[in-house]
């Protein structure tokens, strides 16, 4: 079987340098490193500096490792919500986050858009009792992305509310002003092109204050991975548990690669490839982007309505070595989903489109 090119939305095509980094990791015995030793601390410290450098994260924010993004959803609710969170739901991942809040015995509120539609956050009235606003910035099930500028403005209009964003399938593309965001989380197997099995949370001092306040009130914020426990360990570049050291190493290597290229260039290339794909499907006789309003179209996970021809298209492309994503849930047979991550090359996008 020849090598495929994965245009799936996650896991997706691994970053082009991964093979080299895995070999180097084995050579350097990274998998044998003790997570309590100085080698690991140095790695965690370096990774923190590199991630903060790439995404422009303030110095006083914490960078924590969890098992994956779904755990990030749970930690966010447990750590920062006493009773009520408000959820902006534009797809299935937002629904899951809301469901987890209910299962944790909170009383979450929700605003749900019609499938494939965004929401104007500028005019959003936030209920008084909501302590935190939870936003799926890029919902991979529908391909709806909410503009970061609108999310920043939401914080300006509601300075007392905590804001949490899921950027799993858009990072490192969106330009996040972290001073206006309290918790940002993602997994690494999408935009960063790494093996799955590692989640990252970027946490503000305000979010940690809230977690501390809940703890003092006798409210459970979780156990080994509570935000407070993670933050205490982070001060010494440690983790509560034995973490996924190999993937942390690979992540740091990919961050270094991306820093070398420059985030501006990565974002510009993402825009170019997205435009190529949207223009193609806009002018296609039959197929069309599922999200009608360009203002809410994801640049990183494109959902295309192919009118029931998903299976046929996938088979055709598979013969030429391309793996594209099926639709999400009940749209499995109707949509295709295309990842547009830094690991996807412009030439391969062109070739893939030429086959459709
Ligand atoms: C993939 C995805 C998740 C879940 O990521 P896991 O690594 O499976 O925890 C959450 N949110 C969004 C928007 C995603 O695309």
């Amino acid at each position: 079987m020849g090598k495929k090119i994965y245009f799936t939305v996650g896991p997706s095509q691994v970053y082009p340098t991964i093979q080299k980094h895995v070999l180097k990791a084995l050579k350097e015995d990274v998998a044998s490193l003790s997570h309590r030793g100085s080698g690991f601390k140095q790695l965690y410290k370096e990774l923190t500096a590199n991630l903060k450098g790439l995404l422009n994260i303030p110095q006083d924010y914490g960078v924590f490792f969890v098992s994956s993004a779904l755990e990030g959803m749970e930690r966010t609710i447990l750590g920062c919500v006493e009773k009520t969170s408000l959820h902006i739901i534009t797809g299935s991942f937002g629904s899951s986050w809301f469901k987890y809040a209910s299962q944790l015995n909170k009383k979450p509120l929700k605003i749900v858009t019609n499938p494939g539609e965004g929401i104007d956050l500028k005019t959003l009235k936030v209920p008084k009792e909501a302590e935190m606003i939870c936003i799926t910035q890029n919902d991979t099930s529908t391909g709806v992305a909410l503009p970061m500028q609108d999310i920043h403005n939401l914080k300006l209009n509601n300075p007392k509310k905590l804001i949490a964003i899921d950027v799993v399938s858009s990072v490192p593309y969106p330009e996040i002003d972290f001073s206006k965001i309290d918790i940002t989380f993602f997994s690494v197997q999408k935009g960063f092109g790494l093996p799955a099995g590692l989640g990252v949370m970027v946490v503000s001092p305000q979010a940690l204050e809230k977690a501390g306040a809940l703890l003092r009130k006798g409210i459970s914020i979780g156990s080994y991975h509570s935000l407070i426990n993670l933050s205490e360990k982070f001060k010494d570049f440690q983790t509560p548990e034995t973490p996924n050291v190999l993937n942390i190493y690979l992540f740091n290597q990919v961050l270094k690669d991306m820093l070398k290229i420059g985030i501006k260039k990565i974002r510009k290339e993402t825009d170019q490839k997205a435009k190529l794909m949207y223009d193609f499907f806009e002018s296609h006789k039959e197929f069309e982007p599922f999200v009608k309003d360009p203002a809410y179209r994801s640049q990183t996970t494109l959902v295309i309505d192919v009118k029931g021809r998903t299976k046929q298209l996938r088979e055709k492309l598979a013969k030429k070595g391309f793996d594209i994503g099926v639709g999400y849930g009940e749209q499995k047979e109707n949509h295709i989903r295309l990842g547009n991550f830094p690991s996807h090359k412009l030439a391969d996008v062109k070739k893939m489109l030429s086959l459709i």
Side-chain angles (χ1 to χ4, degrees):
M1 200 177 72
K3 266 207 158 210
K4 281 198 219 168
I5 295 172
Y6 290 86
F7 272 97
T8 42
V9 292
S12 190
Q13 182 63 34
V14 295
Y15 204 64
T17 53
I18 288 294
Q19 186 173 5
K20 181 180 89 186
H21 296 319
V22 168
L23 291 173
K24 189 157 176 256
L26 293 176
K27 223 189 248 166
E28 292 180 0
D29 269 339
V30 169
S32 299
L33 269 188
S34 161
H35 62 297
R36 298 288 171 231
S38 60
F40 178 75
K41 285 189 202 180
Q42 189 53 37
L43 168 61
Y44 193 171
K45 191 175 169 181
E46 214 181 289
L47 182 149
T48 301
N50 288 334
L51 183 67
K52 286 186 173 180
L54 187 76
L55 299 183
N56 198 18
I57 299 169
Q59 278 319 314
D60 57 352
Y61 276 47
V63 173
F64 309 151
F65 299 121
V66 290
S67 63
S68 85
L70 295 185
E71 188 189 349
M73 292 181 185
E74 182 173 296
R75 297 300 135 204
T76 299
I77 299 296
L78 270 177
C80 295
V81 179
E82 181 176 351
K83 295 191 181 95
T84 303
S85 45
L86 171 66
H87 296 253
I88 311 296
I89 300 178
T90 58
S92 300
F93 289 96
S95 295
S96 297
W97 201 354
F98 174 85
K99 187 177 80 188
Y100 300 161
S102 306
Q103 288 169 338
L104 292 167
N105 288 334
K106 310 296 177 187
K107 300 260 174 299
L109 304 167
K110 61 179 166 182
I111 296 171
V112 187
T113 67
N114 292 321
E117 288 180 14
I119 174 171
D120 187 357
L121 295 175
K122 286 189 278 297
T123 53
L124 186 73
K125 287 259 178 300
V126 180
K128 213 170 156 221
E129 64 270 33
E131 300 151 60
M132 174 173 245
I133 309 169
C134 299
I135 304 169
T136 312
Q137 190 267 326
N138 188 89
D139 204 300
T140 323
S141 64
T142 54
V144 172
L146 299 175
M148 271 320 299
Q149 198 55 51
D150 291 1
I151 300 175
H152 298 150
N153 286 333
L154 194 59
K155 180 72 168 186
L156 290 175
N157 296 338
N158 303 274
K160 296 244 171 71
K161 310 287 187 198
L162 294 173
I163 308 247
I165 55 172
D166 168 342
V167 293
V168 179
S169 55
S170 53
V171 75
Y173 174 75
E175 248 183 285
I176 304 169
D177 176 353
F178 282 88
S179 72
K180 297 185 179 66
I181 308 291
D182 295 289
I183 295 189
T184 304
F185 60 80
F186 56 88
S187 291
V188 296
Q189 75 274 21
K190 301 188 183 181
F192 283 111
L194 289 152
L198 181 66
V200 178
M201 298 181 77
V202 179
V203 180
S204 76
Q206 289 73 29
L208 291 175
E209 258 170 48
K210 177 73 186 265
L214 294 184
L215 202 56
R216 285 191 295 279
K217 273 182 135 174
I219 294 162
S220 172
I221 59 166
S223 60
Y224 74 105
H225 264 184
S226 76
L227 291 185
I228 295 297
N229 206 22
L230 285 163
S231 150
E232 285 302 316
K233 291 285 186 195
F234 172 66
K235 285 178 188 154
D236 192 29
F237 296 108
Q238 294 271 294
T239 54
E241 83 294 13
T242 317
N244 188 342
V245 180
L246 178 59
N247 220 357
I248 291 171
Y249 171 88
L250 297 176
F251 186 25
N252 187 41
Q253 295 298 109
V254 167
L255 285 171
K256 285 195 265 189
D257 293 334
M258 288 187 172
L259 280 165
K260 245 179 250 160
I261 296 166
I263 192 71
K264 270 214 180 100
K265 186 164 178 218
I266 290 172
R267 287 173 177 152
K268 202 171 130 206
E269 286 174 355
T270 304
D271 283 332
Q272 282 170 343
K273 290 179 292 169
K275 183 171 184 322
L276 201 69
M277 288 195 264
Y278 278 125
D279 285 352
F280 175 88
F281 288 109
E282 282 271 16
S283 59
H284 196 278
K285 293 193 297 294
E286 227 183 315
F287 307 155
E288 57 182 350
F290 179 54
V291 179
K292 297 293 167 289
D293 184 345
Y296 297 115
R297 275 181 194 161
S298 169
Q299 301 295 292
T300 54
T301 56
L302 291 75
V303 176
I304 309 296
D305 186 350
V306 296
K307 322 284 178 188
R309 289 179 50 197
T310 303
K311 194 162 171 267
Q312 191 190 336
L313 272 173
R314 270 175 55 82
E315 281 168 5
K316 188 163 120 187
L317 284 163
K319 286 199 189 108
K320 303 286 182 184
F322 290 96
D323 193 350
I324 60 172
V326 297
Y328 191 93
E330 47 187 56
Q331 297 293 358
K332 190 167 187 233
E333 310 280 331
N334 282 319
H335 292 174
I336 56 168
R337 292 184 299 156
L338 299 170
N340 177 26
F341 299 134
S343 55
H344 294 117
K345 298 188 177 81
L346 181 66
D348 289 330
V349 171
K350 285 182 181 165
K351 201 167 153 207
M352 187 254 308
L353 290 178
S354 77
L355 297 167
I356 290 183

